[in-house]
């Protein structure tokens, strides 16, 4: 029964991956982050990259943080870069700050992002191997290290899609490979009032830069205990290797050797 259920779940996960491989590309007119990144790169200044959510007050992404040097990065990001080895994939690379550091160190790194203007900017900044690519459409290649920094694992969107994420790792993570990702436990935000929702870390956002408004998108802030539990359920091990100063952490995900 367990084997039959596992096989059935794997089939469902594979079907979900196949559906996600047909996702549409982002256009220049629907790319607020890309426009903000491109303008900041060109003029060394830009207007506010605004972030909206039904759960929180309006916020903004400080654009200089997307262009930070190794010395300006938080400790958990520096540690992740130092742990990267072999052929490395930088997921959601934005302005390419992590890829540029690894490239300078001689690491074979590939940067991907769904934002066409971000990809264009990374090329202008000197990232050698960069492409416009949805992480969930990757196939036919494997990586020794997959970097998902700046809350990068959030692209999974929901807990329900975590098995799809691990199913994809089965295909693109090389034997002995690792995923280095950071996230945050945002339960502290709801200390006085926990919203009526399945999981508090499942959030929705929308970005705006001047008159360019992006599509709403789901984003997952997953606490470390839940990440470790779901990894185990899907044949992987997850361990916290560093903790930040504000409820954030760096995790290392590897294939369960006992399977």
């Amino acid at each position: 029964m367990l084997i039959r259920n596992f096989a059935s779940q794997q089939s469902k996960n594979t079907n979900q991956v196949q559906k996600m491989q047909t996702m549409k590309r982002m256009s220049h007119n629907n790319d607020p982050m890309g426009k903000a990144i491109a303008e900041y790169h060109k003029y060394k200044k830009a207007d506010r990259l605004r972030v909206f959510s039904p759960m929180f007050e309006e916020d903004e992404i400080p654009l200089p943080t997307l262009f930070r040097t190794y010395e300006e990065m938080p400790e958990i990001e520096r540690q992740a870069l130092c742990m990267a080895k072999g052929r490395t994939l930088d997921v959601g690379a934005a302005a390419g700050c992590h890829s540029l550091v690894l490239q300078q160190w001689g690491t074979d790194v590939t940067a991907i992002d769904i934002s066409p203007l971000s990809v264009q900017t990374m090329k202008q900044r000197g990232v050698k191997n960069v492409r416009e690519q949805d992480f969930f459409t990757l196939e036919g290649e494997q990586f020794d290290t997959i970097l998902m920094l700046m809350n990068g694992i959030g692209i999974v969107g929901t807990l329900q899609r975590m098995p799809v994420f691990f199913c994809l790792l089965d295909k693109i993570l090389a034997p002995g490979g690792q995923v280095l990702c950071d996230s945050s436990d945002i339960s502290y935000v709801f200390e006085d009032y926990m919203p009526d929702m399945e999981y508090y870390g499942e959030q929705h956002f929308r970005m705006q830069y001047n008159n360019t408004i992006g599509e709403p998108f789901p984003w997952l802030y997953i606490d470390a205990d839940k990440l470790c539990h779901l990894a185990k359920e899907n044949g992987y091990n997850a361990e916290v290797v560093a903790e930040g100063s504000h409820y954030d952490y760096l995790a290392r995900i590897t294939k369960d050797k006992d399977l």
Side-chain angles (χ1 to χ4, degrees):
M1 179 65 73
L2 288 175
I3 294 176
R4 212 164 43 239
N5 288 343
F6 179 75
S8 175
Q9 184 60 50
Q10 288 299 96
S11 177
K12 291 178 181 178
N13 293 344
T14 300
N15 290 337
Q16 289 183 59
V17 170
Q18 290 172 345
K19 289 179 181 178
M20 292 168 71
Q21 288 176 338
T22 63
M23 293 174 71
K24 296 180 180 179
R25 288 188 173 183
M26 183 182 293
S27 70
H28 284 220
N29 295 325
N30 194 31
D31 185 9
M33 176 175 273
K35 284 194 174 182
I37 286 174
E39 287 199 12
Y40 188 87
H41 172 64
K42 185 176 181 179
Y43 300 111
K44 299 299 181 287
K45 62 179 181 178
D47 291 324
R48 295 171 60 227
L49 177 56
R50 304 165 69 189
V51 181
F52 301 93
S53 168
M55 292 295 298
F56 305 109
E57 295 180 357
E58 179 183 334
D59 201 354
E60 66 178 285
I61 297 178
L63 288 167
T65 65
L66 303 179
F67 291 80
R68 53 192 169 197
T69 64
Y70 177 78
E71 291 74 20
E72 294 171 328
M73 293 176 188
E75 178 59 33
I76 61 174
E77 288 184 23
R78 294 200 298 267
Q79 183 165 340
L81 294 179
C82 290
M83 292 175 64
K85 60 182 180 180
R87 190 176 185 220
T88 299
L89 178 69
D90 183 6
V91 181
C97 62
H98 301 117
S99 289
L100 285 171
V101 171
L102 292 176
Q103 188 173 285
Q104 291 167 3
W105 290 352
T107 304
D108 179 7
V109 58
T110 298
I112 64 171
D113 204 291
I114 62 171
S115 161
L117 290 170
S118 295
V119 168
Q120 178 181 308
T121 299
M122 280 191 274
K123 291 178 179 178
Q124 294 171 354
R125 298 188 72 210
V127 179
K128 295 178 181 178
N129 192 358
V130 55
R131 61 181 188 252
E132 185 182 343
Q133 174 87 56
D134 185 329
F135 174 69
F136 289 99
T137 66
L138 283 167
E139 56 183 348
E141 54 188 328
Q142 291 190 322
F143 299 89
D144 302 294
T145 298
I146 297 175
L147 284 178
M148 308 180 79
L149 300 181
M150 301 171 94
N151 278 302
I153 200 171
I155 65 170
V156 179
T158 64
L159 292 180
Q160 186 178 7
R161 286 175 57 180
M162 286 297 291
V164 179
F165 168 69
F166 288 112
C167 185
L168 180 61
L169 293 187
D170 288 340
K171 299 178 181 179
I172 67 171
L173 191 61
Q178 61 179 349
V179 178
L180 298 172
C181 61
D182 60 5
S183 190
S184 301
D185 182 353
I186 64 170
S187 60
Y188 72 92
V189 176
F190 308 107
E191 286 181 350
D192 298 326
Y193 171 73
M194 182 61 70
D196 184 17
M197 55 196 309
E198 289 191 12
Y199 181 61
Y200 61 84
E202 295 180 346
Q203 300 295 329
H204 285 79
F205 296 98
R206 191 169 198 163
M207 293 187 186
Q208 179 176 348
Y209 183 71
N210 291 333
N211 294 326
T212 301
I213 302 175
E215 294 292 331
F217 59 91
W219 197 259
L220 178 63
Y221 294 96
I222 184 168
D223 66 272
D225 288 343
K226 195 167 291 293
L227 175 62
C228 293
H229 174 72
L230 290 174
K232 198 68 175 178
E233 278 192 343
N234 289 275
Y236 284 81
N237 285 315
E239 59 176 328
V240 174
V241 295
E243 294 184 351
S245 59
H246 196 64
Y247 306 95
D248 54 326
Y249 65 92
L250 173 67
R252 181 174 184 262
I253 301 173
T254 55
K255 189 68 176 176
D256 192 338
K257 296 180 180 178
D258 294 333
L259 294 180

